[in-house]
Every structure is written in structure tokens, then in C-alpha cells.
Amino acid sequence: MIRVLLCLALTTAQDDFDLSGSTGSGKIAHKLFHSYDGVNWEVRGTIQLSIFGDKRRKPLISVKNTKFEKEKLNFKGNYYIGVYTEEESGFMIQSSTETCYLIGSDLQDIISVLVDSETGGITALNYKTEGKMCERTTTAQKMQTMAEVISTREALKPYFALPKPEIEQDNTSFLRKYWWAIAIGLFLFMSSAASPPPQQGAAAAPQRAS
Amino acid sequence: MFRFFLLVALAASIYQDQIGTYDWHKVHIGKVIEIHATTGGKSIAISDRGILAMIKPSGELEWRRVVSSIDTYPLFTMSLSGIFTYSSGVLTMWTIQEGQIVWSLYIPEVLQLVLITQGISEVLAVLTENTIEIISIQEGELMKKIYLVKPEKIVFKYKDSIFVMDKKKNILKINSKNWDIEKIDFGEDNEVICAKDSCVAINEKKAKVINNGEIKDINWEVGKIQGVLDKFYVCEGENLVEILEEEVKIIKQIGKHVPSENSQMWLVESSSSLTIYSLEASSISLPSSSIPVLKFWGYTNSKGEFLGYILYEDYSILCFRNTLIRWIREEGLGHTSSLYFLELPSREMHAHNQYFAYIKDHNTWSDVLTNFFLRIESQINHRNIELEALEKDSFAFKKLIIAVSKSEYIFAIQSLNSQIFWRLKVKNLIKVVQLSHEEAILIENDGDKTKLTYLDIILGKKIKEQIYDIETVDVLQIGNEEDSAVYLVDKDFKLLPVVKHSGPELFFYIINSKNGSIEGLKHNNGINSKVWAMKLGTGEKILTYITNKAGNIHQPAIATGTSRLVYKYADENLFAVASQKGQELFVYVINAISGHVIYRLHQDQVSGSIHLAFHEQKLYIHYWNIKYERYEIISAEFFKSNVDDSASDVLQSYYSGGFSTDYSSKFTPEVTVFTQTYVFPYGIKDMKFTTTLQGITKPSLVMILESNQIYLLDSAFLSPRRKLEDNHEEGLFDDPTLPIYKPNIPWSSINIANYFIELEGISKLATTETWLESTSVVIAYDLDMFLIRVMPEKSFDVLSEDFSKSAIVLTIGGLALLNILVQLWFSSKCAKENFNT
């Protein structure tokens, strides 16, 4: 019976995953733009996303930097990166960091992207630096970029633990359960009552003669 | 000894018997659309919020009924036999005395309800889009249904006939005995105006009239009709005109007036009084109010006494009998759309402000000298400052609540006694910002211009006004009491500082629900620059958002039962946005400074309204689960991923990079997120966390249930770190003090904050802190207004009734004495030892 209940519970749990609308896997390339002042934008490289048909699988990401001019960095301002939602038009998804932290990290940056699992489009960019040091100079010449995809967490479903099998209650009466203890007790009481009472003289016997 | 005095600190506390005695409930019905006097000095009123009520002679409600649902406009008529209402497809008859339903029936799209007589009995005529239905008032049965072509309204009834006007301005005369219909071509292209028992269609100097059931053409030389007063017409020059057999006659000139809705009476407003006239030439005067009159209902009895009701522009309604005011109901508060808590000044603050306000205008030498003597005199005589009603109390329970009504008035209510101290007409109010303990700014926008009114909050008087030629869409307020800033945000999201701030940079974000974009901007030296931008996935529609109301974080780390320290990620710059795509719900947690998406949560099979609450590291999402047909709450908590296992870990992390409790919004730490879903038995209208001054007290979640109850939920029940029953693995963030996970949140009627009080139409919550750390003030508003003090962790700073003051004095005294004795003994011992050596 418990096995049947367990199977039912598992079937219900599987129902919670929406497997409909799964699309085929594919690769999508997004042009990665950057700006040294937040106004003038130019192509920095490409973000390549590998999307899987199973929505639950996290897309793979790689970033290729093709253009970066270290001398254009303004250590007092911000350094920006961006991706257009449509081909070089429309809305630009962008993120930035203070340039001095990028220099302080020896040009090691991290790009995290949030991906629309339906279209493979990028919906948000988290731009971070490897370190938290604010510096004016660095000997590094090229960007070293790490890339990752931000996961979307599925909300947990209320977990209903299976009811524990009820332990059969011991309905045996007190007398039936402890008859032996009562019997021993009664026997001891009866035997002590049956023995002759000690004489008065005997009671005085332990006293020492003076 | 001095050390003991150093330990003495002031503690705020109240006695147990003071708990729960300061809650108040304001019962409202909303803006009255019709009111009738009934027997025993009682009145029957119906409001535009769909509330029917009987008002006692004292002004309190005898009973109150929601006709169908809140904010559905009702139709209403009544006679001695009962009250008839129509709302949301349901026609209902109610008893007058008890407000009980006699019968109700379903009729789609009713235009008008009129009681008519048929022979000796009374029946109800119900006008619909294409019929007039006659319904018996005893059983609510359909007696007759007459089909009409596009009727507009029943204009009047005369003897056995009902006169109905159609959309082409024709009059249909329906005989109520045999139900014959006679069509009268009437209005044609002219405007038709109807009085109690006649209609007029004027064409220059001629007019077509229906009077006494007959149609005729007459000369009309009394000018345009400006209004109607019972069976009379008010024409140009405020002349009262009566239609006679073949002519019209000017009865008298009545001047600028408000006509009675139900009788031949009118009201004239002047600066000093309100005068009510009846056609019999008698009149009474009532004291004037500065607020204009909207409507007026008047009656006279056989003794010639006046009785009536006056509805003012702020939706307050007054009942009078002759020159005596019987009651006033503040129904403007029954339309409260938002409210603000303002801090009141203490007696000392007020005196200080008064003094500096005085010397600002009186700065000659003689004034200074006079002022100096006045100060000395005040020190000797200790003159009382007349500010008791609006003076901060010891625990800051007393606040000024600014309630913003849809009547375009704001009301200043003292939070202890619920008394209204002043009211002001404010159109298109965007925000109220408190500048100091006695001054606030009201920010209004009328489209092209923004008006700032600097206001004395004690007196409700305007100090000064400033007008800016910008269209303000929002107001940003940052900083603290000492260094605050107020910026106006125009439609292009440019910021205009109206109160300066010493900080160099300001970060803000814009949520565009039309295209699903969210942008973060930095404002520096008058220039906005975009720092980050994101756009939600295709088809996602932004539903709601919430900022993290972290406030004072007293406990940035939590010591778990396994002697570990886990650190909350409680950045005040976090905000959450909920979006929906079909039945999928997405919740994004974003850092407003860096634009980093900290977390994205997805839940399927969701519908209904989504409610969010965000406090410190806790985020709760309430929604309806379609699949399981139940309400659920997703609970998410954010922690920094690093955990300190021992004191050496804490010290090590401090020396390597500061305390783990410190964080900067520029950098996102590695975050560990816990989520769990709970089943909540009820739908809600709003939910908020309680707030306290120091943040020591753990906050409770306050909810308005759909049943208009206020429910307090201990957030420990919603912790996502509650372990599953069959999970015996030990985790870094485990807290053994949390109960084992149970999906159903336990329901307890003890947690209903409004106890036995029946609330109606509440939909919004506001909370504020007091100086008593255990206590938070919660107010629920919209139609009713209910204020309560909440103690989420019980009254830990409340003195019990048997608290022994003498015992604590004796204990401290004893300790002090012991300290002196020990010091003496120790010094003599040292002296002896020194002597011996």
C-alpha cells in the first residue's frame, strides 16, 4: 500500500515540470558592445549562447573579445558593456562597473547573462570584476573574461511527506500486560505475611549487655 | 560607584493595562448619493461605493450592508414598505429597520428604479435597455414586461401614467392600468429638461411642454433653463419659474443657490452662514463651513421645522434639525487612497521652533532684549505651551496621519484619538514629504505645472508656495532627518532638486511596464547617466514591484544553533519585480545600484493578483495556484554564502576585509538563496511587514484577508530554512530552533488583529514604528480606517502589573552599598598589606 502511495506521489511531483514548448537546441550569437563613457558604443566582441531544447538545462556561454583599447579607459568614470535586444537597434541591455575596479582587477571581468529560455535572447547582464581593488594603472593589456549564465530557480512545490504508517496501538490491559509482576509482588507479600511475627525478646537480642 | 551610574539608561515601557486600549475604528459608507429621513430621527443612506446604511440620530451607523460588492454603483429607491437597490445584476428589497433582505432577483442591466402606484397597491417599475418590468414589492415577482425601443429614463409619473423618454427624445406615455403605450414626438433636436412632473423642450422663444399629462406649445420668454427645483425650473437670472396652463410664470428670484434634491427648498452659501429657504418663505441659518456644498436634501414637517442633510465637497455629510447640527459624518475618509505618517514635534522642539521663527522676524536689538526677558520670565513662571493635542508623547505613539481622499481633500488625523485636526483641498497630489517636525511639503501636479506647498503641519496652514514649469511624474526622497533631499522627476526622468542633499550621487531606477524594461540611472551634478538596463523576456508583463524596506538592521547575522554565524544579505538597495507570462510567474530580485540580477524565480500555474513583501533578507510572494486551486506563499531568504564557524573565523574575516556584515551595493557577494512554498488558506488584498525603530523586534507579516480581517503571521512559520521531516542531513545554514517544515501554515484566530470588530472595504496597509521597540503601528484603510498597535514579539518592554519598583530600587541600592563596602574592605586590605611589606 505504501509503495502505491509513493508511486502516486512521484507521479504528481513529475506533473509539476512543464515539458511542453521545448524547442530544439541551437547556437545564438550576440554582438557584445562596450563604451568607455556610456555615450559612444563600439563592438567589443561576441557572446555565443548554446541553447538546449530542454528548458531546464542551463545554456552554455562563451565570450570572445575582439577589440579593447586600454588607454581609452577613464579611471574616474565607468566602463560599460551592452547587447542589443534586436540587431543593432531597439533597446540596449547594458551593465557597467567603475573603471578603477576593472583596472584593479588587471582587466579580469565576469559577464553573467540572464537568458530568455523561449527565444535565446539576453534579458539582463551582470557585469562584475574579479577583484575589489580600485587602481589607476595595470600592466595587463588584454581583457580576460569569464562568462556564466544566471540560473532561474523553480519555486519549490509544497512538500507533503507521506503519512507515517500508524503503529498499532497496544490495547492490552494493564493486568494482562503486567500480570507476572503483579503475581511476583503478590507472592512476596503473601509469603511475608505467612511467616511468624518475631518475638519481643528476639527483638531485644541485638542489644549488648552492659 | 560611578560605574553603576554609567549603566543607567532610559528605557521606554508601558504598563500591561495600557495595551490594546488605543485601537480605533472609523466606520464609513463613502460619498452619499441619496439619503432619506425615516422614523425616530434615523436616516437611510446609500453611497457611491455601494454601501446601504441606516444612520442613528447620533450619527453612528445602526446597520450597514454592502449592496453587492464594494465600488459597484447602486441604483436606489425606497418607500415605507422597504428599500430597493440594484447592483451588479441583482435587484434586492431590504427591510428598513433591520436591513434584512426580503427578496432578490437577477435582472441584467437595469437603468432606473421607480416606485409607482397601481390602483391601491405600490409596484416597482424597473427600466432596462429595452423593457420596463413591473415587479410586485411583496414577493418580487414579475407582473408585467413591456418592450420599448431604446428607452433612456422614466422622467416622471403622473396619476396612472408613467412617462418614459427614449434616446430620440420622444416621450412614451404608459398607462399603468391597461399598459397601453402612447408615443409623443417631443424633443426632436432640442434639449429636453424635466422637473418633478413636467418636461420642457425649448426652441428659442417657444417651448414644447408636457404638464399635467398633456402636451402643449407655449411661449418661453424666461431664458435658458439652468436647473430644476422640484416641480419648478430655475431660469436665467436665478428666477424660479412655474409652468401654468398656457404660460410660464416667474415666482421669485432666488439667487445663487444649491437646490434641494427632494423638495421645494434651496440653500444659499455665504461667507458667514448657510441659509436654507423653503418656498413658503421661511428660512433657517446654519454656521458656514469653508467647504463648498455639493448637494442638499431638505424636509419640513407640519410644525414648520426644518430637517435636512448637506453634502460637502470633501464628502462630509451634515444632518441638521432647524438650526441644530445633529451629526456630521466624515465620509471623505471613506475614499482614502493613500496615507502618510508624520512625526509630531515634542514640546521642546515646538518651543525651539517657535523661538527661532520669532527671532527670524524680530531681529532688532529691542526685539532681542524683549525676547531675552520673555525667556527669563518663562523659566520662572513655566508657562505651558498650548500644544498638547499635537505634541509628541513619550513613546511617539501619537503621530499625524495625512489621509489623502479621492474627494481631493487631505485630512490630518491625530493617531491616538482619531480626531481630524485640519483638512485642505489638494488636487492631483503626488506625495507628502515631511521636512521637519513642523513642516511638510505637498507636491501637486496639474499636468504642465508642479506646485509645492510648504505647510505648517500643526496648524494646517500654508507657509509658502512654489510653482515649477515641469510635469512631475514622481518624487524621490532620500537621506535622513538631518540631511534629506527631495527631487521632482519629470516625464523625461530628469531630476529637479527642491530640497538639497549633501551627497554627490543619487542612483534611481525606472520600471517601464509598457515595454518591460528596467533601467538604472545615476544622477550627478544635474546630469543623468544610464548605469544599467535590462528588458524582461518576450511576453512578460510587469505586474508589481517592491523595494526592500530593510530600515535599521539590528541583527545582520544570525547565530544558528550549531554556533555558526550566517549573514543576511539585506541590502536596502534591492528591489523585486514580479512579471507574468500566461500562467507563468517570474520574480526578479535586482540590485538598484549595480543592476545585478541577484535572483530570478519561476513559478508555473499562477493567476490572480500577486502580492509581494520584502524586508531585510526575506521576500514573500502570495498568489493563486491554478493547478491545486489554493493560495500559496513562496518564501525566499537571501544569505551571504560565507559562514563563520567560530570566533577566530569572525576575527580573521574582519582583519582580512572588514566584518562580514558590511557590504557595498557596487559588488554583489556570493549569495545563497533558500526558497520554500507554503499553503495559505486565504486570499489577501495587501501584505506588509511591521517596522520597529531599532529593528530588534522580529517583524511580523500583516495581511488584509479578502474577508476584511487583519491577520498577523509570525515570519518564522514562513522560513524557507525549515527542514523537511525526512531530511537528516546537516546543512551550513540549518537552524534547529526552526520548526520542521509543514506545508500548511497554521491558522490561529488569536492572530486576527481586528478581533471581533467587523471591518469593511479595507484594502491597503501602512505601518510605522514607535519609540517603544516592541510596538509597531498598523493602519488599514480605504473605506473603513482601523488603527492598531502590534507587538510581533509580544510586549517584552512592557512592565507587568505586579512589577515591583521597590524591589529593583532595593536591589540596585544593595549592589551599590555592597560595592562601597567591598571597595572599603579592599582598600583597607591593600593598606595593611602595604604596611606589612
Side-chain angles (χ1 to χ4, degrees):
Chain A
M1 181 64 188
I2 291 167
R3 278 177 72 92
V4 173
L5 277 174
L6 187 65
C7 289
L8 278 173
L10 286 172
T11 316
T12 320
Q14 277 180 352
D15 274 2
D16 294 336
F17 295 105
D18 182 15
L19 297 173
S20 62
S22 298
T23 52
S25 57
K27 287 190 175 178
I28 302 166
H30 296 271
K31 270 187 189 171
L32 175 65
F33 289 80
H34 70 159
S35 171
Y36 304 99
D37 55 7
V39 181
N40 302 302
W41 292 83
E42 57 186 21
V43 176
R44 171 177 147 170
T46 320
I47 297 176
Q48 187 89 35
L49 287 167
S50 301
I51 311 285
F52 301 102
D54 183 358
K55 273 203 249 176
R56 288 170 295 173
R57 250 185 104 180
K58 209 172 172 180
L60 296 176
I61 184 172
S62 64
V63 172
K64 192 178 176 186
N65 295 319
T66 53
K67 192 177 180 187
F68 177 73
E69 291 164 272
K70 182 185 146 186
E71 54 279 5
K72 280 190 178 176
L73 288 174
N74 172 17
F75 72 88
K76 284 183 181 171
N78 276 27
Y79 172 73
Y80 304 81
I81 61 161
V83 175
Y84 281 105
T85 50
E86 291 152 43
E87 193 61 34
E88 296 197 26
S89 62
F91 191 83
M92 180 182 259
I93 309 246
Q94 66 182 69
S95 186
S96 63
T97 185
E98 285 182 31
T99 312
C100 72
Y101 292 109
L102 184 65
I103 297 167
S105 308
D106 289 334
L107 308 182
Q108 292 178 53
D109 60 354
I110 304 163
I111 299 173
S112 312
V113 299
L114 193 66
V115 179
D116 182 355
S117 56
E118 292 275 322
T119 60
I122 292 172
T123 58
L125 286 169
N126 286 7
Y127 189 53
K128 292 178 265 189
T129 54
E130 189 67 36
K132 294 180 184 176
M133 301 280 280
C134 183
E135 299 285 350
R136 289 182 173 204
T137 55
T138 177
T139 52
Q141 292 297 320
K142 283 185 176 178
M143 290 288 241
Q144 288 182 49
T145 306
M146 272 176 65
E148 61 181 7
V149 172
I150 303 166
S151 330
T152 299
R153 290 276 291 270
E154 294 292 324
L156 292 175
K157 305 293 179 282
Y159 172 87
F160 288 94
L162 290 171
K164 281 184 179 176
E166 281 186 16
I167 300 160
E168 201 176 311
Q169 279 190 339
D170 195 355
N171 291 325
T172 46
S173 66
F174 183 80
L175 278 173
R176 274 183 78 178
K177 206 171 176 182
Y178 299 106
W179 63 269
W180 49 272
I182 294 163
I184 293 168
L186 272 172
F187 173 74
L188 288 172
F189 178 75
M190 295 287 281
S191 58
S192 63
S195 59
Q199 288 174 1
Q200 277 191 338
Q207 289 181 359
R208 265 189 203 174
S210 55
Chain B
M1 184 65 185
F2 185 65
R3 276 172 290 170
F4 276 108
F5 289 108
L6 281 178
L7 291 172
V8 173
L10 289 174
S13 57
I14 59 170
Y15 285 97
Q16 266 182 351
D17 60 354
Q18 291 176 291
I19 302 168
T21 53
Y22 302 104
D23 314 338
W24 51 259
H25 175 210
K26 278 180 174 285
V27 186
H28 299 122
I29 57 173
K31 182 189 174 187
V32 170
I33 49 175
E34 274 199 59
I35 186 162
H36 288 256
T38 61
T39 53
K42 295 174 184 175
S43 319
I44 294 285
I46 192 155
S47 75
D48 64 350
R49 301 209 68 180
I51 306 288
L52 177 69
M54 176 178 260
I55 304 169
K56 291 181 194 173
S58 61
E60 291 169 343
L61 297 188
E62 174 120 2
W63 51 258
R64 175 174 65 163
R65 306 282 180 261
V66 180
V67 174
S68 64
S69 58
I70 293 278
D71 287 335
T72 48
Y73 196 89
L75 299 175
F76 168 89
T77 189
M78 72 173 282
S79 69
L80 290 173
S81 49
I83 303 162
F84 303 89
T85 61
Y86 175 82
S87 179
S88 305
V90 181
L91 177 69
T92 310
M93 181 182 174
W94 311 76
T95 60
I96 295 174
Q97 290 308 318
E98 294 87 23
Q100 303 294 328
I101 292 174
V102 181
W103 51 258
S104 61
L105 78 155
Y106 177 76
I107 305 178
E109 291 171 34
V110 170
L111 303 175
Q112 202 177 356
L113 302 179
V114 175
L115 283 160
I116 56 170
T117 47
Q118 195 193 26
I120 52 160
S121 60
E122 197 173 36
V123 290
L124 183 66
V126 178
L127 187 75
T128 72
E129 288 210 318
N130 55 0
T131 60
I132 187 161
E133 296 180 20
I134 307 299
I135 290 164
S136 73
I137 59 171
Q138 279 78 26
E139 292 89 23
E141 284 175 357
L142 181 66
M143 294 164 68
K144 182 77 185 171
K145 194 175 199 175
I146 306 153
Y147 287 91
L148 304 171
V149 181
K150 293 182 180 174
E152 194 174 280
K153 63 176 176 180
I154 299 172
V155 284
F156 60 85
K157 49 197 178 168
Y158 182 75
K159 291 183 178 170
D160 292 328
S161 298
I162 310 163
F163 290 80
V164 180
M165 189 162 69
D166 68 11
K167 284 180 180 157
K168 288 183 178 173
K169 311 292 179 196
N170 298 313
I171 300 285
L172 307 166
K173 186 181 175 184
I174 303 166
N175 189 315
S176 63
K177 282 184 177 169
N178 53 20
W179 306 113
D180 285 346
I181 303 172
E182 182 190 340
K183 187 179 173 186
I184 305 164
D185 294 337
F186 189 70
E188 296 166 355
D189 297 329
N190 302 315
E191 191 189 2
V192 176
I193 297 167
C194 295
K196 190 184 175 185
D197 54 10
S198 65
C199 281
V200 177
I202 305 171
N203 186 4
E204 294 179 355
K205 300 279 182 185
K206 292 280 179 187
K208 199 175 259 187
V209 173
I210 295 181
N211 195 23
N212 296 336
E214 291 172 11
I215 182 163
K216 58 191 120 177
D217 289 309
I218 57 170
N219 291 327
W220 191 271
E221 290 176 345
V222 287
K224 283 186 177 175
I225 297 172
Q226 292 172 335
V228 171
L229 180 64
D230 198 54
K231 65 175 188 173
F232 304 102
Y233 293 88
V234 182
C235 296
E236 277 176 16
E238 308 291 344
N239 289 320
L240 203 61
V241 170
E242 186 181 10
I243 297 170
L244 301 174
E245 285 297 315
E246 298 296 328
E247 56 173 355
V248 286
K249 185 186 164 191
I250 296 174
I251 298 171
K252 66 193 296 185
Q253 196 177 31
I254 57 173
K256 200 179 171 197
H257 68 286
V258 179
S260 168
E261 297 286 313
N262 63 322
S263 62
Q264 296 172 1
M265 294 167 78
W266 67 95
L267 181 149
V268 176
E269 292 175 84
S270 72
S271 57
S272 58
S273 65
L274 294 176
T275 313
I276 293 154
Y277 296 92
S278 76
L279 203 60
E280 293 82 42
S282 56
S283 68
I284 57 155
S285 283
L286 292 168
S288 175
S289 152
S290 57
I291 300 158
V293 173
L294 277 185
K295 275 185 176 183
F296 157 64
W297 293 263
Y299 302 88
T300 47
N301 63 11
S302 53
K303 293 176 195 166
E305 287 179 326
F306 283 72
L307 174 75
Y309 309 93
I310 300 168
L311 177 71
Y312 289 95
E313 197 183 49
D314 65 347
Y315 300 169
S316 60
I317 187 158
L318 176 148
C319 174
F320 63 88
R321 185 173 183 138
N322 284 332
T323 53
L324 189 74
I325 293 169
R326 274 178 152 183
W327 49 259
I328 299 172
R329 290 188 59 82
E330 296 291 352
E331 294 303 336
L333 293 174
H335 292 259
T336 306
S337 55
S338 58
L339 60 79
Y340 301 85
F341 284 106
L342 303 188
E343 290 297 332
L344 288 165
S346 63
R347 186 173 291 235
E348 294 75 21
M349 279 175 198
H350 183 68
H352 177 87
N353 291 344
Q354 291 279 349
Y355 172 69
F356 281 99
Y358 177 82
I359 60 165
K360 196 178 163 189
D361 300 328
H362 301 81
N363 50 10
T364 62
W365 277 109
S366 62
D367 284 332
V368 171
L369 203 64
T370 315
N371 194 49
F372 176 70
F373 286 120
L374 276 172
R375 291 194 74 183
I376 292 171
E377 189 200 340
S378 70
Q379 291 301 310
I380 297 164
N381 296 335
H382 290 287
R383 285 196 298 188
N384 283 329
I385 300 161
E386 291 172 6
L387 189 76
E388 285 178 0
L390 291 179
E391 171 187 295
K392 194 191 279 276
D393 59 336
S394 307
F395 304 113
F397 287 147
K398 198 195 284 178
K399 293 173 194 298
L400 196 67
I401 299 168
I402 303 292
V404 183
S405 168
K406 285 177 187 161
S407 65
E408 297 189 331
Y409 274 78
I410 59 166
F411 298 83
I413 306 163
Q414 200 243 58
S415 69
L416 277 191
N417 59 10
S418 77
Q419 191 186 336
I420 297 170
F421 274 81
W422 50 261
R423 73 195 69 203
L424 272 181
K425 183 167 186 174
V426 183
K427 271 189 176 179
N428 310 313
L429 183 77
I430 299 176
K431 197 165 186 173
V432 179
V433 177
Q434 185 163 21
L435 285 184
S436 68
H437 282 87
E438 296 198 25
E439 195 175 340
I441 315 177
L442 308 177
I443 300 163
E444 302 162 66
N445 183 267
D446 68 348
D448 300 333
K449 289 184 177 171
T450 301
K451 187 166 90 174
L452 268 66
T453 308
Y454 290 76
L455 194 72
D456 180 331
I457 63 166
I458 306 297
L459 303 169
K461 284 187 178 166
K462 293 173 185 176
I463 300 167
K464 63 173 178 177
E465 281 183 355
Q466 282 177 340
I467 295 190
Y468 295 91
D469 287 329
I470 61 163
E471 186 185 339
T472 303
V473 293
D474 205 353
V475 176
L476 299 180
Q477 185 189 9
I478 54 161
N480 49 34
E481 274 183 25
E482 288 81 31
D483 186 16
S484 66
V486 180
Y487 293 88
L488 304 181
V489 185
D490 75 1
K491 59 181 178 177
D492 301 319
F493 306 112
K494 284 182 184 160
L495 302 193
L496 177 73
V498 286
V499 177
K500 297 275 177 156
H501 181 254
S502 58
E505 289 179 345
L506 166 71
F507 289 85
F508 64 102
Y509 59 92
I510 301 159
I511 298 175
N512 187 336
S513 55
K514 280 184 185 167
N515 67 357
S517 69
I518 307 166
E519 294 171 79
L521 290 97
K522 184 169 75 175
H523 180 80
N524 195 3
N525 297 323
I527 299 164
N528 286 347
S529 52
K530 198 188 282 185
V531 180
W532 57 268
M534 62 176 286
K535 194 170 185 180
L536 304 188
T538 321
E540 280 183 49
K541 193 181 163 193
I542 294 173
L543 300 174
T544 183
Y545 76 100
I546 192 164
T547 51
N548 185 8
K549 295 275 191 303
N552 281 328
I553 302 167
H554 179 77
Q555 199 186 7
I558 300 170
T560 64
T562 45
S563 71
R564 287 193 194 99
L565 273 183
V566 295
Y567 298 97
K568 297 173 184 174
Y569 182 53
D571 194 333
E572 220 178 349
N573 294 311
L574 295 181
F575 68 99
V577 177
S579 69
Q580 202 165 10
K581 183 183 176 182
Q583 293 178 350
E584 290 176 289
L585 171 72
F586 295 93
V587 178
Y588 298 80
V589 178
I590 304 161
N591 188 317
I593 307 284
S594 65
H596 292 172
V597 178
I598 309 298
Y599 184 69
R600 185 168 86 153
L601 183 134
H602 171 250
Q603 173 70 300
D604 206 1
Q605 307 283 330
V606 170
S607 81
S609 54
I610 309 296
H611 297 276
L612 303 175
F614 201 169
H615 181 85
E616 293 190 355
Q617 85 285 15
K618 299 168 186 167
L619 172 67
Y620 300 143
I621 307 147
H622 182 282
Y623 59 92
W624 171 254
N625 188 320
I626 302 167
K627 187 173 178 181
Y628 297 110
E629 295 189 330
R630 66 187 179 205
Y631 289 102
E632 291 179 352
I633 296 176
I634 294 177
S635 161
E637 287 192 14
F638 305 89
F639 291 93
K640 286 181 170 186
S641 295
N642 59 314
V643 173
D644 287 329
D645 278 320
S646 60
S648 62
D649 275 6
V650 177
L651 289 171
Q652 200 180 346
S653 58
Y654 172 68
Y655 285 111
S656 59
F659 272 122
S660 299
T661 52
D662 300 337
Y663 42 72
S664 161
S665 293
K666 288 179 183 174
F667 305 101
T668 305
E670 207 178 317
V671 180
T672 301
V673 185
F674 294 91
T675 60
Q676 189 53 274
T677 309
Y678 289 91
V679 179
F680 190 71
Y682 299 104
I684 62 167
K685 294 184 189 175
D686 195 9
M687 66 177 182
K688 285 220 162 47
F689 278 102
T690 56
T691 49
T692 55
L693 190 65
Q694 301 294 335
I696 297 167
T697 310
K698 281 180 193 162
S700 268
L701 195 62
V702 191
M703 297 162 146
I704 298 181
L705 307 183
E706 280 181 348
S707 56
N708 291 313
Q709 285 174 314
I710 300 168
Y711 192 72
L712 301 174
L713 183 60
D714 185 347
S715 53
F717 285 116
L718 289 169
S719 173
R721 291 185 299 142
R722 286 172 67 179
K723 284 186 84 169
L724 302 182
E725 201 167 10
D726 54 359
N727 179 11
H728 303 293
E729 288 173 25
E730 198 175 312
L732 274 177
F733 292 85
D734 280 358
D735 188 348
T737 59
L738 290 171
I740 294 290
Y741 173 72
K742 302 270 185 217
N744 289 307
I745 293 167
W747 175 263
S748 169
S749 53
I750 297 167
N751 295 338
I752 296 171
N754 55 306
Y755 28 93
F756 54 86
I757 294 175
E758 271 189 36
L759 304 175
E760 198 63 71
I762 48 165
S763 67
K764 291 169 192 163
L765 281 168
T767 64
T768 189
E769 66 263 359
T770 65
W771 283 359
L772 205 62
E773 177 53 29
S774 65
T775 311
S776 182
V777 173
V778 174
I779 187 162
Y781 62 93
D782 194 355
L783 177 71
D784 280 4
M785 199 174 264
F786 180 71
L787 181 136
I788 190 168
R789 292 181 201 171
V790 170
M791 280 155 277
E793 286 197 287
K794 311 299 170 208
S795 46
F796 59 80
D797 48 2
V798 172
L799 298 179
S800 61
E801 273 182 13
D802 55 352
F803 180 79
S804 171
K805 287 176 192 165
S806 52
I808 201 160
V809 168
L810 283 172
T811 311
I812 293 170
L815 282 169
L817 190 68
L818 196 67
N819 187 42
I820 294 164
L821 291 173
V822 168
Q823 272 184 346
L824 286 172
W825 174 76
F826 194 71
S827 58
S828 69
K829 194 184 170 191
C830 285
K832 275 181 192 172
E833 281 175 5
N834 287 339
F835 180 78
N836 291 336
T837 54

